[in-house]
Amino acid sequence: KIFALSCALLCNVIQNRPACTKTLHANGVTKVFLQTLHPGMFQTEGVIKTVPETIRSLCFSSDALKTLMMGPRPLEYLFNLVSSHRSHHLDILTIPALHFLAKSLEELIKHFPAFVTPAMNCCKKMLMDLAENYGCDSNVPMENYRRCIVNVAFFLTGNDGRLAQVLGKKVVMGVLPDVVQALYEKEAAKSSMKDICFKLCEPMVRITNQEPTKMAGYLLERCIKRLDAVMQSDSYKTQKFLTW
């Protein structure tokens, strides 16, 4: 709480007197901010909201911007937070909090293009890690992993998908099909087809809607192949189905 309040005060000072940013940086404020910030700090919604705003405020100083680019990766922390499967993170990442975070990052990237490439790399890593680690920890409830997908979908596609647009649709959409396929296959191995439809449908539709023609065609092709394989399996042939 003290960290969030300190960041909010710093942002207020800079917004009222932008010229003081250079002096604040010269006196070590940027360095202290980066040294204090670590993944364990993201325990409240207040911290989640103030971190991107503090980064954006400090960037009014070109020297502070260079330090932010060279030091610990605050953007990495934020993207990792969005895809976290920890119950506490899932509880504090409400839909309004996700939309606020996405909007803050969108504005940061638009005003300071130096963050475009790091943000794109963080986004790609977040998606690939989500697919690779999905369901791997037996101590984590599967529902937590599914909630992660919903969070990532809202994060990228909320606010009319503007964050996905500034990150570069080609980059994001180039990764998504493989992520969707990996998630689908892992769910198929762990759950029933009914679970897959109900748990993965909403976030995947939201993601696909960002590039409907390209994504729908790609995913349909993958799904057709997947269904063919399922229908040829022994487990499918031995099932009994109800008919209308």
Side-chain angles (χ1 to χ4, degrees):
K1 189 173 181 180
I2 294 174
F3 178 79
L5 290 173
S6 301
C7 288
L9 177 62
L10 176 62
C11 292
N12 188 53
V13 170
I14 294 175
Q15 287 165 9
N16 284 287
R17 296 188 61 186
C20 75
T21 313
K22 185 175 182 180
T23 304
L24 289 169
H25 172 71
N27 283 276
V29 170
T30 310
K31 184 178 180 180
V32 171
F33 170 72
L34 290 175
Q35 288 176 341
T36 307
L37 187 65
H38 58 84
M41 296 294 295
F42 295 95
Q43 300 296 320
T44 66
E45 191 171 323
V47 173
I48 294 170
K49 288 184 175 181
T50 54
V51 167
E53 293 299 309
T54 305
I55 296 171
R56 188 157 63 99
S57 297
L58 288 170
C59 286
F60 282 109
S61 163
S62 58
D63 291 334
L65 173 59
K66 292 176 183 177
T67 302
L68 287 165
M69 297 298 295
M70 293 169 57
R73 303 284 186 179
L75 290 186
E76 250 180 66
Y77 297 157
L78 293 171
F79 278 91
N80 289 342
L81 174 70
V82 172
S83 60
S84 171
H85 53 65
R86 294 183 180 179
S87 297
H88 178 69
H89 289 156
L90 291 169
D91 291 337
I92 61 176
L93 281 172
T94 60
I95 297 304
L98 285 166
H99 282 190
F100 184 92
L101 182 57
K103 185 177 180 181
S104 297
L105 286 173
E106 175 212 340
E107 291 178 354
L108 173 68
I109 295 166
K110 284 173 67 176
H111 287 101
F112 302 100
F115 285 103
V116 172
T117 299
M120 285 166 57
N121 291 334
C122 287
C123 184
K124 289 173 67 175
K125 186 176 184 301
M126 173 187 71
L127 291 169
M128 298 308 295
D129 286 349
L130 179 64
E132 183 179 347
N133 300 323
Y134 187 80
C136 289
D137 190 342
S138 59
N139 295 318
V140 177
M142 283 304 298
E143 186 60 27
N144 282 22
Y145 285 108
R146 291 165 184 146
R147 287 174 68 186
C148 290
I149 300 173
V150 176
N151 282 351
V152 170
F154 273 109
F155 178 66
L156 291 175
T157 63
N159 302 317
D160 298 323
R162 288 194 289 269
L163 178 60
Q165 290 174 12
V166 296
L167 288 174
K169 277 191 174 183
K170 289 183 179 179
V171 174
V172 177
M173 293 305 159
V175 179
L176 277 176
D178 291 332
V179 174
V180 172
Q181 176 69 8
L183 293 174
Y184 181 87
E185 290 180 353
K186 287 193 174 186
E187 271 287 344
K190 292 177 177 291
S191 309
S192 69
M193 295 298 288
K194 179 181 176 182
D195 287 337
I196 298 170
C197 292
F198 283 101
K199 298 295 185 181
L200 296 185
C201 183
E202 178 190 353
M204 294 314 164
V205 167
R206 289 181 65 86
I207 291 173
T208 304
N209 282 343
Q210 295 302 307
E211 196 75 44
T213 303
K214 180 180 177 182
M215 286 293 291
Y218 192 96
L219 292 178
L220 279 173
E221 183 182 349
R222 290 286 186 93
C223 286
I224 290 170
K225 291 180 179 179
R226 180 66 188 173
L227 286 171
D228 283 342
V230 169
M231 292 175 72
Q232 294 301 317
S233 66
D234 293 335
S235 59
Y236 177 86
K237 292 176 181 178
T238 57
Q239 290 185 63
K240 295 180 179 179
F241 298 94
L242 295 174
T243 57
W244 292 103

